Amino acid sequence: SDIKAEDNMGHAKNKTKKLLEAKKLYLLHADGITDIELSKLLNVDRASAYRYRTELNTSMVSEGKYTLVPSGDDVELANAVIKRNDNK
């Protein structure tokens, strides 16, 4: 059972990493990316890309293309980074 728990933890860490990578890709592609493009960029199957897209609450920008609208937290973080850099 310890081995199964370790496998589940490894899976959870990998999924979290892939979700963060997906979020970054969506934010970098304001013009949108398809599930197929996302699956290739993340090296996952299309079903996983679809799950990541739905978990991240993306918005469709054109037929079959999705992007991520920055959340309030994302904007707040970006503003804090800009302010910190301005003070250097």
Side-chain angles (χ1 to χ4, degrees):
S1 71
D2 285 344
I3 293 173
K4 187 167 185 156
E6 287 179 26
D7 285 347
N8 287 339
M9 284 178 54
H11 175 76
K13 282 183 182 179
N14 189 46
K15 181 180 178 189
T16 300
K17 182 180 174 192
K18 293 287 186 180
L19 268 172
L20 288 172
E21 288 176 30
K23 182 176 183 176
K24 185 167 84 171
L25 289 167
Y26 281 121
L27 290 170
L28 288 171
H29 292 89
D31 57 332
I33 54 176
T34 67
D35 288 349
I36 293 170
E37 291 168 327
L38 183 64
S39 69
K40 288 178 181 175
L41 291 167
L42 294 177
N43 197 28
V44 298
D45 60 31
R46 285 177 62 188
S48 293
Y50 169 82
R51 283 193 303 273
Y52 298 153
R53 174 170 57 82
T54 57
E55 281 190 49
L56 291 170
N57 296 315
T58 57
S59 300
M60 186 168 29
V61 291
S62 63
E63 189 64 36
K65 287 194 162 204
Y66 299 84
T67 193
L68 193 59
V69 176
S71 70
D73 288 342
D74 292 329
V75 172
E76 201 173 295
L77 177 61
N79 285 332
V81 169
I82 291 168
K83 186 176 181 180
R84 186 180 74 208
N85 287 338
D86 286 346
N87 291 333
K88 287 185 177 181

